[in-house]
Amino acid sequence: MARVSQAHLDARRRQILDGAAVCFARNGFHATSMQDVLREVDLSAGAVYRYFSGKEELIGAIVGEVLGQVHEGFEEAARSSPLPPPDVLVASVLGRVLATKESVTVDGRPAFPRLVVQVWTETLRNEELATVLREGYGAVRETWTRIVGAYQDAGTMRPDVPPEHVARTMMAAAMGFLAQQALFGPTPAEVLSDGLRALMSVREEAGTR
């Protein structure tokens, strides 16, 4: 029997993950069955179960992949010299992640932002998924905290704010931007960059913090 190449295996896994993402974004996790996923990807149960044991593993794989991409994007930026400003950094990483998912659509609109909101909702009842999300976001927050420390050491960011507070705020901006995309439709990442840059330009009045 001919040996299946790694490229073929990777492509098949990608097909299953993208199909599952469409199903979850369209109908939510609980309303989606494995039969729905099989129909979406047009594969047999044996072909799909070769890669994933069921919905829970599919959800975990999708979430882990995305958080890994975000984390690696910020880690790469953290190694840059000089560091790009926060508005450029957040928007560039988020824009790259969105670009890798733009071909996965539901009703002609990107599925990824809708999927993100579904994941957040599911973590309220699924402790295993919540753990995956906490660990993933924790890694991103740790990287951002180091980036903020580097800004402060370079004198480009005020030093009197705890780095983790800034890191959480920048993550909140990115998460809120994704939520808006799910609610209101696609928006270029440059919009986020422009907004952050404008907020960063606000000057303090004398006598204020």
Side-chain angles (χ1 to χ4, degrees), residues 172-187:
M175 293 165 74
F177 185 72
L178 284 174
Q180 287 192 38
Q181 296 223 11
L183 293 170
F184 310 130
T187 306

Side-chain angles (χ1 to χ4, degrees), residues 117-140:
V117 174
Q118 295 282 1
V119 168
W120 293 340
T121 302
E122 181 64 12
T123 59
L124 299 178
R125 61 173 68 91
N126 185 328
E127 183 56 34
E128 187 173 332
L129 182 61
T131 298
V132 172
L133 210 64
R134 281 195 297 268
E135 291 175 353
Y137 281 132
V140 174

Side-chain angles (χ1 to χ4, degrees), residues 78-130:
R79 295 190 289 269
S80 301
S81 183
L83 280 170
D87 57 311
V88 174
L89 182 52
V90 173
S92 64
V93 172
L94 189 59
R96 269 186 286 169
V97 173
L98 288 171
T100 66
K101 309 297 183 185
E102 63 185 0
S103 63
V104 182
T105 61
V106 173
D107 300 328
R109 291 171 56 172
F112 178 62
R114 290 175 59 172
L115 178 64
V116 169
V117 174
Q118 295 282 1
V119 168
W120 293 340
T121 302
E122 181 64 12
T123 59
L124 299 178
R125 61 173 68 91
N126 185 328
E127 183 56 34
E128 187 173 332
L129 182 61

Side-chain angles (χ1 to χ4, degrees), residues 6-207:
Q6 186 61 48
H8 174 82
L9 295 173
D10 291 345
R12 181 57 54 84
R13 187 176 188 275
R14 175 83 274 141
Q15 177 187 355
I16 296 168
L17 285 174
D18 288 348
V22 167
C23 290
F24 295 146
R26 181 192 294 129
N27 299 318
F29 296 126
H30 290 277
T32 298
S33 67
M34 283 301 291
Q35 287 300 317
D36 295 326
V37 175
L38 297 179
R39 283 192 293 270
E40 183 69 32
V41 300
D42 194 25
L43 292 173
S44 68
V48 172
Y49 285 115
R50 175 180 181 178
Y51 295 86
F52 303 101
S53 62
K55 283 200 306 181
E56 296 296 323
E57 190 172 348
L58 273 167
I59 295 167
I62 293 169
V63 171
E65 179 183 65
V66 171
L67 288 174
Q69 290 174 335
V70 173
H71 184 221
E72 178 53 37
F74 286 131
E75 279 290 340
E76 180 182 338
R79 295 190 289 269
S80 301
S81 183
L83 280 170
D87 57 311
V88 174
L89 182 52
V90 173
S92 64
V93 172
L94 189 59
R96 269 186 286 169
V97 173
L98 288 171
T100 66
K101 309 297 183 185
E102 63 185 0
S103 63
V104 182
T105 61
V106 173
D107 300 328
R109 291 171 56 172
F112 178 62
R114 290 175 59 172
L115 178 64
V116 169
V117 174
Q118 295 282 1
V119 168
W120 293 340
T121 302
E122 181 64 12
T123 59
L124 299 178
R125 61 173 68 91
N126 185 328
E127 183 56 34
E128 187 173 332
L129 182 61
T131 298
V132 172
L133 210 64
R134 281 195 297 268
E135 291 175 353
Y137 281 132
V140 174
R141 187 171 64 249
E142 189 276 331
T143 299
W144 251 104
T145 300
R146 285 191 284 110
I147 291 172
V148 172
Y151 287 140
Q152 292 175 332
D153 290 344
T156 56
M157 183 177 288
R158 54 186 296 169
D160 59 334
V161 178
E164 185 175 346
H165 294 189
V166 182
R168 286 179 176 273
T169 300
M170 298 308 291
M171 288 174 61
M175 293 165 74
F177 185 72
L178 284 174
Q180 287 192 38
Q181 296 223 11
L183 293 170
F184 310 130
T187 306
E190 288 76 19
V191 172
L192 176 62
S193 179
D194 289 345
L196 289 173
R197 186 166 60 253
L199 289 172
M200 289 160 51
S201 70
V202 173
R203 301 182 184 280
E204 294 184 343
E205 298 292 338

